[in-house]
Amino acid sequence: MSKRIEVNDLHVYYGNFLAVEGVSMTIEAKSVTAFIGPSGCGKSTFLRTLNRMHEVIPGARVEGDVLVDGENLYGPTVDPVNVRRQVGMVFQRPNPFPTMSIKQNVLAGVTLNSKKLSNSAADELTERSLRGANLWEEVKDRLDKPGSGLSGGQQQRLCIARAIAIQPEIILMDEPCSALDPISTLAIEDLINELKDQYTVVIVTHNMQQAARVSDRTAFFNIAGTGKPGKLIELADTQTIFQNPTQKATEDYVSGRFG
Amino acid sequence: MTTALVTPEEPKLDHGIEENPVRPAPRFAWLIVLLASFAASAALFAALGFSIVGVIIVGYVIYLIAVTVTYSAMAGRRKGTDQLMRSLIYGAFVLALIPLVSVLWTVISIGAPAISADFLTKDMYGLKGVVDKAVVEQGAPLQGGALHAILGTLIITAIATLISVPIGLFTAIYLVEYGKTSRLAKSIRFFVDVMTGIPSIVAGLFAFSLFGILFGIGTKNGIAGAVALAVLMIPTVVRNSEEMLRIVPNELREASLALGVPVWKTVTKIVIPTAASGLASGVTLAIARVIGETAPLLLAVGVTMKTNVDPFNGPMNTLAVYAYNLFKFPLNPGYRDPSLERAWGAVLLLVIFVVLLNLLARFIAKVFAPKTGR
Ligand SMILES: Nc1ncnc2c1ncn2[C@@H]1O[C@H](COP(=O)(O)OP(=O)(O)OP(=O)(O)O)[C@@H](O)[C@H]1O
Ligand SMILES: [Mg+2]
């Protein structure tokens, strides 16, 4: 239940502003791929094109292809809603729905898509998703309490539970740990490690150690200057990127000699 | 890159934070200053000839100066400025309260005696001028009431709400969730702004002529009045709802869309529930704004002394029109006072309705508010 992503010469625009230029890459199934690079180089922008969340922003558009197991996400007959059901996303800031309880938050993706669930199926899915997000033990006694009453790290894991409850093929995470303490970060990194048995995971991170710890492959993006488009510099096994990258820019960045 | 060594002798630039220490001041110092200022002012006016307004204005000015000086000396300049601004703001607050309290006091003190069980359960049908003569000359109890006006106000406002809430809410949803900055959305916003500014009499004329064209000149009924009120309410509902939908964080919409939820479901299941409390209080306030309209209703609904609960048929009465009408055309022109008392009673009822609506808005806001805590 996981898929391989192939990106061909993708250009990403905000109105007339070219934010990301000419990206081609392959993201392997059942693996963790990390995106690193300086701020503003278009990591988030590119990540959001992989589940067609980019076009939610007015004026935003893309040129090029994204193939998931050979099927073009940007094909004329593809419904973005279906794409998003297959490619889940976890955002930088935890964003549980404030009007819903913990349980309702977990089930939101299913219930909002008008799938009827029997009580027992709902309980079972809640438990499975929360266990999958390493949150079950902490919240099992207060499933009916509001999701916004959890700590930041718990909220983020709740968002992960919500994302995996719809059983996507691919999970995208945009700096999922940037608002979290080291212990919650560790919990989420462990979780990512488990997730890759079932899902294809793509994670954006500013934390080099995190990229090294969790990812199998790492993509380095860079930007030539302000107002210029971001580009993919290289994508390789994480070890290669951190130990002997082919590009000088990558080496400078991962060794902290940036700019 | 060359690293310039900073020579230790280089003088430190004096750009840091200005020293402006704050010292503690006695807690009730301002109260003492306040009393002293007003005492001084009163003493001054005792010498000049007494005037309560003069005492208050001069006392306030003395207080402003005295409190600034005292606190600056006692606790530092920042505290002095703080006290000055505080006093100005409290002064503005009291000033704003004066008309409000005065209106409430007048309405309650004059209107309350008129309100009785009779006033709430009877209309004015068939009452002759002689009953008011009896009230004045023999101290007989006030006859007749405002039942027809109460029912008319409730029915017409309810229909106006039923017309304007769906239109207004759907317009706001279109503007925020779909139209965004498109040309259509921009022009709708422009026309809504224009509509906000139309005088209420124009809305009344609109309904009057619309119903005249459709059902014959001079058609007056409750629906026509509701249409006139809806014309006034719709822009308010659109503007209030638009603001409320706009403050729903975009992250929630994105979270929902990223779960593969279509836009319309995101709007109905996430955005509207999150904004529900604001939407509800916006609607209630829009109702409060039109419930006291007089001129458009006078035109579109007409006046009657009889209870009429059929909005499709014939004139009705409403509280504001009832008050206006009794004031302008007393039941017995020779004995105006009983009619005026009824008018004040109707106005008091209107104020009570508006207060109840505001309480209702708060209650609804509380019920729908996003839950926090564990
Ligand atoms: N909504 C938007 N509208 C217009 N331009 C945008 C928008 N969001 C991002 N950009 C621009 O696109 C470029 C890439 O931004 P992006 O957010 O993808 O960077 P990033 O690599 O994720 O940076 P960070 O590491 O700081 O999160 C930037 O120049 C940014 O200004
Ligand atoms: Mg980013």
Side-chain angles (χ1 to χ4, degrees), chain A residues 99-128:
Chain A
T99 50
M100 297 185 182
S101 69
I102 293 173
K103 184 172 170 186
Q104 285 167 332
N105 261 290
V106 175
L107 298 175
V110 179
T111 49
L112 290 181
N113 283 318
S114 9
K115 293 212 188 69
K116 289 270 171 291
L117 274 183
S118 68
N119 274 341
S120 58
D123 289 344
E124 202 259 334
L125 180 60
T126 310
E127 180 170 348
R128 182 150 43 87

PDB file of all heavy atoms in Angstrom, chain A residues 99-128:
ATOM      1  N   THR A  99     -13.497  22.524  16.684  1.00  0.00           N
ATOM      2  CA  THR A  99     -14.864  22.207  17.091  1.00  0.00           C
ATOM      3  C   THR A  99     -15.047  20.722  17.368  1.00  0.00           C
ATOM      4  O   THR A  99     -16.138  20.291  17.712  1.00  0.00           O
ATOM      5  CB  THR A  99     -15.861  22.610  16.000  1.00  0.00           C
ATOM      6  OG1 THR A  99     -15.408  22.068  14.766  1.00  0.00           O
ATOM      7  CG2 THR A  99     -15.958  24.103  15.873  1.00  0.00           C
ATOM      8  N   MET A 100     -13.984  19.936  17.191  1.00  0.00           N
ATOM      9  CA  MET A 100     -14.144  18.482  17.279  1.00  0.00           C
ATOM     10  C   MET A 100     -13.369  17.897  18.452  1.00  0.00           C
ATOM     11  O   MET A 100     -12.339  18.423  18.854  1.00  0.00           O
ATOM     12  CB  MET A 100     -13.643  17.825  15.999  1.00  0.00           C
ATOM     13  CG  MET A 100     -14.418  18.207  14.773  1.00  0.00           C
ATOM     14  SD  MET A 100     -13.803  17.264  13.387  1.00  0.00           S
ATOM     15  CE  MET A 100     -14.815  17.925  12.087  1.00  0.00           C
ATOM     16  N   SER A 101     -13.862  16.765  18.947  1.00  0.00           N
ATOM     17  CA  SER A 101     -13.144  16.052  19.995  1.00  0.00           C
ATOM     18  C   SER A 101     -11.969  15.307  19.376  1.00  0.00           C
ATOM     19  O   SER A 101     -11.815  15.276  18.162  1.00  0.00           O
ATOM     20  CB  SER A 101     -14.078  15.057  20.663  1.00  0.00           C
ATOM     21  OG  SER A 101     -14.380  14.024  19.747  1.00  0.00           O
ATOM     22  N   ILE A 102     -11.152  14.711  20.252  1.00  0.00           N
ATOM     23  CA  ILE A 102      -9.994  13.968  19.776  1.00  0.00           C
ATOM     24  C   ILE A 102     -10.425  12.879  18.805  1.00  0.00           C
ATOM     25  O   ILE A 102      -9.888  12.740  17.702  1.00  0.00           O
ATOM     26  CB  ILE A 102      -9.235  13.366  20.976  1.00  0.00           C
ATOM     27  CG1 ILE A 102      -8.613  14.494  21.808  1.00  0.00           C
ATOM     28  CG2 ILE A 102      -8.177  12.377  20.527  1.00  0.00           C
ATOM     29  CD1 ILE A 102      -7.978  14.049  23.094  1.00  0.00           C
ATOM     30  N   LYS A 103     -11.458  12.143  19.211  1.00  0.00           N
ATOM     31  CA  LYS A 103     -11.913  11.035  18.369  1.00  0.00           C
ATOM     32  C   LYS A 103     -12.461  11.546  17.036  1.00  0.00           C
ATOM     33  O   LYS A 103     -12.130  11.013  15.974  1.00  0.00           O
ATOM     34  CB  LYS A 103     -12.993  10.261  19.125  1.00  0.00           C
ATOM     35  CG  LYS A 103     -13.471   9.043  18.413  1.00  0.00           C
ATOM     36  CD  LYS A 103     -14.394   8.257  19.320  1.00  0.00           C
ATOM     37  CE  LYS A 103     -15.087   7.161  18.538  1.00  0.00           C
ATOM     38  NZ  LYS A 103     -16.086   6.477  19.355  1.00  0.00           N
ATOM     39  N   GLN A 104     -13.272  12.620  17.127  1.00  0.00           N
ATOM     40  CA  GLN A 104     -13.820  13.170  15.885  1.00  0.00           C
ATOM     41  C   GLN A 104     -12.711  13.670  14.965  1.00  0.00           C
ATOM     42  O   GLN A 104     -12.816  13.559  13.747  1.00  0.00           O
ATOM     43  CB  GLN A 104     -14.772  14.331  16.196  1.00  0.00           C
ATOM     44  CG  GLN A 104     -16.102  13.868  16.750  1.00  0.00           C
ATOM     45  CD  GLN A 104     -16.893  15.023  17.329  1.00  0.00           C
ATOM     46  OE1 GLN A 104     -16.329  16.011  17.787  1.00  0.00           O
ATOM     47  NE2 GLN A 104     -18.199  14.888  17.322  1.00  0.00           N
ATOM     48  N   ASN A 105     -11.654  14.225  15.570  1.00  0.00           N
ATOM     49  CA  ASN A 105     -10.529  14.668  14.755  1.00  0.00           C
ATOM     50  C   ASN A 105      -9.904  13.505  14.002  1.00  0.00           C
ATOM     51  O   ASN A 105      -9.602  13.620  12.820  1.00  0.00           O
ATOM     52  CB  ASN A 105      -9.472  15.333  15.642  1.00  0.00           C
ATOM     53  CG  ASN A 105      -9.568  16.847  15.602  1.00  0.00           C
ATOM     54  OD1 ASN A 105      -9.254  17.460  14.590  1.00  0.00           O
ATOM     55  ND2 ASN A 105     -10.027  17.426  16.689  1.00  0.00           N
ATOM     56  N   VAL A 106      -9.691  12.395  14.716  1.00  0.00           N
ATOM     57  CA  VAL A 106      -9.069  11.246  14.065  1.00  0.00           C
ATOM     58  C   VAL A 106      -9.944  10.764  12.912  1.00  0.00           C
ATOM     59  O   VAL A 106      -9.459  10.448  11.832  1.00  0.00           O
ATOM     60  CB  VAL A 106      -8.852  10.104  15.080  1.00  0.00           C
ATOM     61  CG1 VAL A 106      -8.329   8.867  14.378  1.00  0.00           C
ATOM     62  CG2 VAL A 106      -7.893  10.545  16.160  1.00  0.00           C
ATOM     63  N   LEU A 107     -11.260  10.747  13.146  1.00  0.00           N
ATOM     64  CA  LEU A 107     -12.168  10.186  12.146  1.00  0.00           C
ATOM     65  C   LEU A 107     -12.571  11.205  11.084  1.00  0.00           C
ATOM     66  O   LEU A 107     -13.295  10.862  10.141  1.00  0.00           O
ATOM     67  CB  LEU A 107     -13.423   9.654  12.836  1.00  0.00           C
ATOM     68  CG  LEU A 107     -13.183   8.519  13.830  1.00  0.00           C
ATOM     69  CD1 LEU A 107     -14.474   8.160  14.532  1.00  0.00           C
ATOM     70  CD2 LEU A 107     -12.609   7.297  13.134  1.00  0.00           C
ATOM     71  N   ALA A 108     -12.089  12.469  11.247  1.00  0.00           N
ATOM     72  CA  ALA A 108     -12.598  13.547  10.389  1.00  0.00           C
ATOM     73  C   ALA A 108     -12.520  13.202   8.902  1.00  0.00           C
ATOM     74  O   ALA A 108     -13.491  13.375   8.161  1.00  0.00           O
ATOM     75  CB  ALA A 108     -11.842  14.837  10.670  1.00  0.00           C
ATOM     76  N   GLY A 109     -11.365  12.693   8.470  1.00  0.00           N
ATOM     77  CA  GLY A 109     -11.199  12.411   7.046  1.00  0.00           C
ATOM     78  C   GLY A 109     -12.221  11.418   6.540  1.00  0.00           C
ATOM     79  O   GLY A 109     -12.690  11.513   5.401  1.00  0.00           O
ATOM     80  N   VAL A 110     -12.593  10.473   7.392  1.00  0.00           N
ATOM     81  CA  VAL A 110     -13.556   9.455   6.976  1.00  0.00           C
ATOM     82  C   VAL A 110     -14.979   9.999   7.041  1.00  0.00           C
ATOM     83  O   VAL A 110     -15.731   9.930   6.070  1.00  0.00           O
ATOM     84  CB  VAL A 110     -13.418   8.207   7.875  1.00  0.00           C
ATOM     85  CG1 VAL A 110     -14.427   7.152   7.474  1.00  0.00           C
ATOM     86  CG2 VAL A 110     -12.007   7.667   7.778  1.00  0.00           C
ATOM     87  N   THR A 111     -15.330  10.605   8.183  1.00  0.00           N
ATOM     88  CA  THR A 111     -16.719  11.057   8.337  1.00  0.00           C
ATOM     89  C   THR A 111     -17.040  12.224   7.404  1.00  0.00           C
ATOM     90  O   THR A 111     -18.134  12.312   6.872  1.00  0.00           O
ATOM     91  CB  THR A 111     -17.011  11.475   9.787  1.00  0.00           C
ATOM     92  OG1 THR A 111     -15.973  12.346  10.201  1.00  0.00           O
ATOM     93  CG2 THR A 111     -17.051  10.287  10.694  1.00  0.00           C
ATOM     94  N   LEU A 112     -16.078  13.114   7.193  1.00  0.00           N
ATOM     95  CA  LEU A 112     -16.354  14.254   6.315  1.00  0.00           C
ATOM     96  C   LEU A 112     -16.523  13.807   4.873  1.00  0.00           C
ATOM     97  O   LEU A 112     -17.117  14.496   4.062  1.00  0.00           O
ATOM     98  CB  LEU A 112     -15.246  15.295   6.402  1.00  0.00           C
ATOM     99  CG  LEU A 112     -15.157  16.063   7.709  1.00  0.00           C
ATOM    100  CD1 LEU A 112     -14.043  17.074   7.662  1.00  0.00           C
ATOM    101  CD2 LEU A 112     -16.468  16.752   8.007  1.00  0.00           C
ATOM    102  N   ASN A 113     -15.970  12.660   4.553  1.00  0.00           N
ATOM    103  CA  ASN A 113     -16.188  12.137   3.208  1.00  0.00           C
ATOM    104  C   ASN A 113     -17.423  11.252   3.155  1.00  0.00           C
ATOM    105  O   ASN A 113     -17.574  10.411   2.283  1.00  0.00           O
ATOM    106  CB  ASN A 113     -14.958  11.373   2.726  1.00  0.00           C
ATOM    107  CG  ASN A 113     -13.879  12.340   2.297  1.00  0.00           C
ATOM    108  OD1 ASN A 113     -14.157  13.328   1.644  1.00  0.00           O
ATOM    109  ND2 ASN A 113     -12.636  12.067   2.683  1.00  0.00           N
ATOM    110  N   SER A 114     -18.303  11.462   4.107  1.00  0.00           N
ATOM    111  CA  SER A 114     -19.610  10.797   4.222  1.00  0.00           C
ATOM    112  C   SER A 114     -19.559   9.285   4.160  1.00  0.00           C
ATOM    113  O   SER A 114     -20.476   8.660   3.681  1.00  0.00           O
ATOM    114  CB  SER A 114     -20.635  11.290   3.200  1.00  0.00           C
ATOM    115  OG  SER A 114     -20.086  12.106   2.264  1.00  0.00           O
ATOM    116  N   LYS A 115     -18.464   8.726   4.654  1.00  0.00           N
ATOM    117  CA  LYS A 115     -18.499   7.273   4.785  1.00  0.00           C
ATOM    118  C   LYS A 115     -19.163   6.975   6.117  1.00  0.00           C
ATOM    119  O   LYS A 115     -18.826   7.554   7.133  1.00  0.00           O
ATOM    120  CB  LYS A 115     -17.082   6.715   4.764  1.00  0.00           C
ATOM    121  CG  LYS A 115     -16.434   6.920   3.413  1.00  0.00           C
ATOM    122  CD  LYS A 115     -15.472   5.796   3.109  1.00  0.00           C
ATOM    123  CE  LYS A 115     -14.682   6.089   1.856  1.00  0.00           C
ATOM    124  NZ  LYS A 115     -13.725   7.196   2.051  1.00  0.00           N
ATOM    125  N   LYS A 116     -20.140   6.079   6.085  1.00  0.00           N
ATOM    126  CA  LYS A 116     -20.804   5.698   7.322  1.00  0.00           C
ATOM    127  C   LYS A 116     -19.936   4.660   8.014  1.00  0.00           C
ATOM    128  O   LYS A 116     -19.432   3.723   7.399  1.00  0.00           O
ATOM    129  CB  LYS A 116     -22.181   5.113   7.019  1.00  0.00           C
ATOM    130  CG  LYS A 116     -23.152   6.175   6.548  1.00  0.00           C
ATOM    131  CD  LYS A 116     -23.897   6.807   7.733  1.00  0.00           C
ATOM    132  CE  LYS A 116     -24.703   8.013   7.317  1.00  0.00           C
ATOM    133  NZ  LYS A 116     -23.897   9.191   6.928  1.00  0.00           N
ATOM    134  N   LEU A 117     -19.765   4.851   9.316  1.00  0.00           N
ATOM    135  CA  LEU A 117     -18.975   3.898  10.089  1.00  0.00           C
ATOM    136  C   LEU A 117     -19.861   3.357  11.197  1.00  0.00           C
ATOM    137  O   LEU A 117     -20.565   4.125  11.850  1.00  0.00           O
ATOM    138  CB  LEU A 117     -17.800   4.621  10.736  1.00  0.00           C
ATOM    139  CG  LEU A 117     -16.509   4.799   9.944  1.00  0.00           C
ATOM    140  CD1 LEU A 117     -15.476   5.469  10.815  1.00  0.00           C
ATOM    141  CD2 LEU A 117     -15.993   3.473   9.440  1.00  0.00           C
ATOM    142  N   SER A 118     -19.825   2.059  11.418  1.00  0.00           N
ATOM    143  CA  SER A 118     -20.524   1.540  12.587  1.00  0.00           C
ATOM    144  C   SER A 118     -19.724   1.947  13.820  1.00  0.00           C
ATOM    145  O   SER A 118     -18.540   2.279  13.725  1.00  0.00           O
ATOM    146  CB  SER A 118     -20.615   0.022  12.511  1.00  0.00           C
ATOM    147  OG  SER A 118     -19.324  -0.522  12.652  1.00  0.00           O
ATOM    148  N   ASN A 119     -20.372   1.948  14.978  1.00  0.00           N
ATOM    149  CA  ASN A 119     -19.681   2.363  16.193  1.00  0.00           C
ATOM    150  C   ASN A 119     -18.415   1.566  16.434  1.00  0.00           C
ATOM    151  O   ASN A 119     -17.380   2.115  16.776  1.00  0.00           O
ATOM    152  CB  ASN A 119     -20.609   2.202  17.401  1.00  0.00           C
ATOM    153  CG  ASN A 119     -21.463   3.437  17.576  1.00  0.00           C
ATOM    154  OD1 ASN A 119     -21.117   4.493  17.033  1.00  0.00           O
ATOM    155  ND2 ASN A 119     -22.562   3.298  18.290  1.00  0.00           N
ATOM    156  N   SER A 120     -18.522   0.265  16.240  1.00  0.00           N
ATOM    157  CA  SER A 120     -17.353  -0.568  16.543  1.00  0.00           C
ATOM    158  C   SER A 120     -16.245  -0.302  15.536  1.00  0.00           C
ATOM    159  O   SER A 120     -15.076  -0.232  15.894  1.00  0.00           O
ATOM    160  CB  SER A 120     -17.747  -2.042  16.543  1.00  0.00           C
ATOM    161  OG  SER A 120     -18.298  -2.384  15.290  1.00  0.00           O
ATOM    162  N   ALA A 121     -16.613  -0.093  14.273  1.00  0.00           N
ATOM    163  CA  ALA A 121     -15.587   0.199  13.269  1.00  0.00           C
ATOM    164  C   ALA A 121     -14.918   1.532  13.581  1.00  0.00           C
ATOM    165  O   ALA A 121     -13.696   1.676  13.436  1.00  0.00           O
ATOM    166  CB  ALA A 121     -16.209   0.234  11.880  1.00  0.00           C
ATOM    167  N   ALA A 122     -15.728   2.507  14.048  1.00  0.00           N
ATOM    168  CA  ALA A 122     -15.157   3.812  14.383  1.00  0.00           C
ATOM    169  C   ALA A 122     -14.184   3.681  15.549  1.00  0.00           C
ATOM    170  O   ALA A 122     -13.076   4.222  15.505  1.00  0.00           O
ATOM    171  CB  ALA A 122     -16.275   4.797  14.730  1.00  0.00           C
ATOM    172  N   ASP A 123     -14.590   2.936  16.583  1.00  0.00           N
ATOM    173  CA  ASP A 123     -13.699   2.753  17.728  1.00  0.00           C
ATOM    174  C   ASP A 123     -12.408   2.078  17.302  1.00  0.00           C
ATOM    175  O   ASP A 123     -11.315   2.442  17.730  1.00  0.00           O
ATOM    176  CB  ASP A 123     -14.390   1.895  18.805  1.00  0.00           C
ATOM    177  CG  ASP A 123     -15.508   2.662  19.475  1.00  0.00           C
ATOM    178  OD1 ASP A 123     -15.526   3.909  19.323  1.00  0.00           O
ATOM    179  OD2 ASP A 123     -16.369   2.034  20.121  1.00  0.00           O
ATOM    180  N   GLU A 124     -12.580   1.083  16.438  1.00  0.00           N
ATOM    181  CA  GLU A 124     -11.415   0.312  16.027  1.00  0.00           C
ATOM    182  C   GLU A 124     -10.450   1.186  15.223  1.00  0.00           C
ATOM    183  O   GLU A 124      -9.244   1.184  15.458  1.00  0.00           O
ATOM    184  CB  GLU A 124     -11.915  -0.884  15.191  1.00  0.00           C
ATOM    185  CG  GLU A 124     -10.973  -2.046  15.115  1.00  0.00           C
ATOM    186  CD  GLU A 124     -10.233  -2.062  13.806  1.00  0.00           C
ATOM    187  OE1 GLU A 124     -10.755  -1.525  12.812  1.00  0.00           O
ATOM    188  OE2 GLU A 124      -9.115  -2.592  13.792  1.00  0.00           O
ATOM    189  N   LEU A 125     -11.011   1.996  14.288  1.00  0.00           N
ATOM    190  CA  LEU A 125     -10.178   2.865  13.463  1.00  0.00           C
ATOM    191  C   LEU A 125      -9.494   3.927  14.318  1.00  0.00           C
ATOM    192  O   LEU A 125      -8.312   4.229  14.128  1.00  0.00           O
ATOM    193  CB  LEU A 125     -11.035   3.525  12.374  1.00  0.00           C
ATOM    194  CG  LEU A 125     -10.292   4.471  11.440  1.00  0.00           C
ATOM    195  CD1 LEU A 125      -9.182   3.745  10.696  1.00  0.00           C
ATOM    196  CD2 LEU A 125     -11.253   5.108  10.443  1.00  0.00           C
ATOM    197  N   THR A 126     -10.234   4.475  15.319  1.00  0.00           N
ATOM    198  CA  THR A 126      -9.637   5.471  16.202  1.00  0.00           C
ATOM    199  C   THR A 126      -8.439   4.876  16.924  1.00  0.00           C
ATOM    200  O   THR A 126      -7.354   5.461  16.941  1.00  0.00           O
ATOM    201  CB  THR A 126     -10.673   5.936  17.253  1.00  0.00           C
ATOM    202  OG1 THR A 126     -11.869   6.282  16.578  1.00  0.00           O
ATOM    203  CG2 THR A 126     -10.160   7.118  18.036  1.00  0.00           C
ATOM    204  N   GLU A 127      -8.652   3.692  17.487  1.00  0.00           N
ATOM    205  CA  GLU A 127      -7.557   3.092  18.254  1.00  0.00           C
ATOM    206  C   GLU A 127      -6.367   2.777  17.348  1.00  0.00           C
ATOM    207  O   GLU A 127      -5.225   3.076  17.682  1.00  0.00           O
ATOM    208  CB  GLU A 127      -8.041   1.828  18.972  1.00  0.00           C
ATOM    209  CG  GLU A 127      -6.911   1.206  19.769  1.00  0.00           C
ATOM    210  CD  GLU A 127      -7.348   0.093  20.701  1.00  0.00           C
ATOM    211  OE1 GLU A 127      -8.568  -0.051  20.908  1.00  0.00           O
ATOM    212  OE2 GLU A 127      -6.469  -0.611  21.219  1.00  0.00           O
ATOM    213  N   ARG A 128      -6.653   2.202  16.186  1.00  0.00           N
ATOM    214  CA  ARG A 128      -5.559   1.818  15.291  1.00  0.00           C
ATOM    215  C   ARG A 128      -4.757   3.045  14.861  1.00  0.00           C
ATOM    216  O   ARG A 128      -3.523   3.045  14.882  1.00  0.00           O
ATOM    217  CB  ARG A 128      -6.146   1.094  14.075  1.00  0.00           C
ATOM    218  CG  ARG A 128      -5.127   0.602  13.082  1.00  0.00           C
ATOM    219  CD  ARG A 128      -5.599  -0.647  12.347  1.00  0.00           C
ATOM    220  NE  ARG A 128      -6.995  -0.561  11.928  1.00  0.00           N
ATOM    221  CZ  ARG A 128      -7.388  -0.014  10.764  1.00  0.00           C
ATOM    222  NH1 ARG A 128      -6.509   0.460   9.933  1.00  0.00           N
ATOM    223  NH2 ARG A 128      -8.662   0.026  10.447  1.00  0.00           N
TER     224      ARG A 128
END
